[in-house]
Amino acid sequence: MQGKEYLLVLSGGMDSVTMLYDYRERIAAAVTFQYGSNHNRREAHYARLNCERLGIEWIEIDLTFMASHFSSSLLEGADAIPEGSYDDENMKSTVVPFRNGIMLAVAAGLAESRGLAGVMIANHSGDHAIYPDCRPEFIRSMGAAIADGTYEHLELFAPYTSLSKGEIARRGKELGVDYSLTYSCYKGGEKHCGKCGTCVERAEALRYAGIVLNDD
């Protein structure tokens, strides 16, 4: 099936915004989830903005109950976010338990309700060690659950699973993505802090792709 067939889970960060542009001819709508993280509101602003630029429907879903009931430094305020490298031990506290599973379950229901063929997610290889619900094993299992749990056997499409964030940024450069219109800082300030793990990873990816920004 070709055409507008997918619903994209869109955070407003580099990876999902790149996917929005990369697959814009096949994306019928994008959904952003408000789950109470420090950076959620700022990311959502850019998710909406990029959808408006491309003429793609944007949906916002409230999952803020997660902030009240789930344990994660990502839900506890800027001071709880670790600074330094984007590695397992340093970033483990930012895991929001089964976040992608919850979001993909809702997204699958939205996609089936709209008669679409599947759901897209922009996980990548740099996430695998830290976040269990970004790993290839999870994508395969969740894909099977979505297919088995929907009448039309919807697909979970995750084409960036084996790519690094740098490779995604390089693809975005080819597409002309303006990364100043994305947000990634886990501390959630007005500007990227440049110190938290996700800021460090973002800066490394931009350098890898040869992209210079003046927005941070």
Side-chain angles (χ1 to χ4, degrees), residues 35-39 66-82 93-97 186-187:
Y35 61 98
S37 74
N38 302 321
H39 62 309
M66 295 169 68
S68 300
H69 299 285
F70 288 22
S71 175
S72 170
S73 64
L74 200 59
L75 307 174
E76 295 172 3
D79 291 342
I81 300 298
S93 73
T94 65
V95 172
V96 179
Y186 276 0
K187 288 184 179 289

Side-chain angles (χ1 to χ4, degrees), residues 7 36 57 60 99 149:
L7 177 79
E57 181 186 2
E60 189 174 27
R99 175 182 59 181

Side-chain angles (χ1 to χ4, degrees), residues 150-170:
T150 52
Y151 273 108
E152 300 300 326
H153 304 290
L154 269 60
E155 175 189 10
L156 175 55
F157 186 35
Y160 290 174
T161 300
S162 63
L163 299 183
S164 70
K165 197 178 190 78
E167 289 169 328
I168 294 170
R170 189 167 60 188

Side-chain angles (χ1 to χ4, degrees), residues 39-96:
H39 62 309
N40 222 177
R41 292 287 177 188
R42 295 190 187 278
E43 277 193 326
H45 167 76
Y46 289 113
R48 177 185 56 78
L49 180 62
N50 282 288
C51 282
E52 288 177 351
R53 282 187 154 205
L54 295 176
I56 293 173
E57 181 186 2
W58 182 65
I59 305 162
E60 189 174 27
I61 300 289
D62 187 352
L63 296 178
T64 50
F65 71 87
M66 295 169 68
S68 300
H69 299 285
F70 288 22
S71 175
S72 170
S73 64
L74 200 59
L75 307 174
E76 295 172 3
D79 291 342
I81 300 298
E83 297 181 355
S85 63
Y86 193 85
D87 59 44
D88 189 4
E89 288 306 311
N90 194 44
M91 295 295 287
K92 189 175 181 180
S93 73
T94 65
V95 172
V96 179

Side-chain angles (χ1 to χ4, degrees), residues 106-147:
V106 176
L110 284 170
E112 185 169 41
S113 296
R114 290 163 174 261
L116 300 176
V119 175
M120 298 185 71
I121 187 172
N123 62 303
H124 62 83
S125 64
D127 292 332
H128 296 175
I130 303 165
Y131 302 109
D133 56 0
C134 288
R135 295 171 186 165
E137 298 86 352
F138 169 80
I139 295 298
R140 286 194 293 270
S141 297
M142 195 68 188
I146 289 172

Side-chain angles (χ1 to χ4, degrees), residues 180-210:
S180 69
L181 301 180
T182 64
Y183 187 87
S184 303
C185 180
Y186 276 0
K187 288 184 179 289
E190 183 178 350
K191 295 185 177 182
H192 288 86
C193 73
K195 297 178 180 179
C196 70
T198 192
C199 275
V200 171
E201 186 201 33
R202 178 178 185 267
E204 290 174 349
L206 291 171
R207 282 196 298 271
Y208 178 89

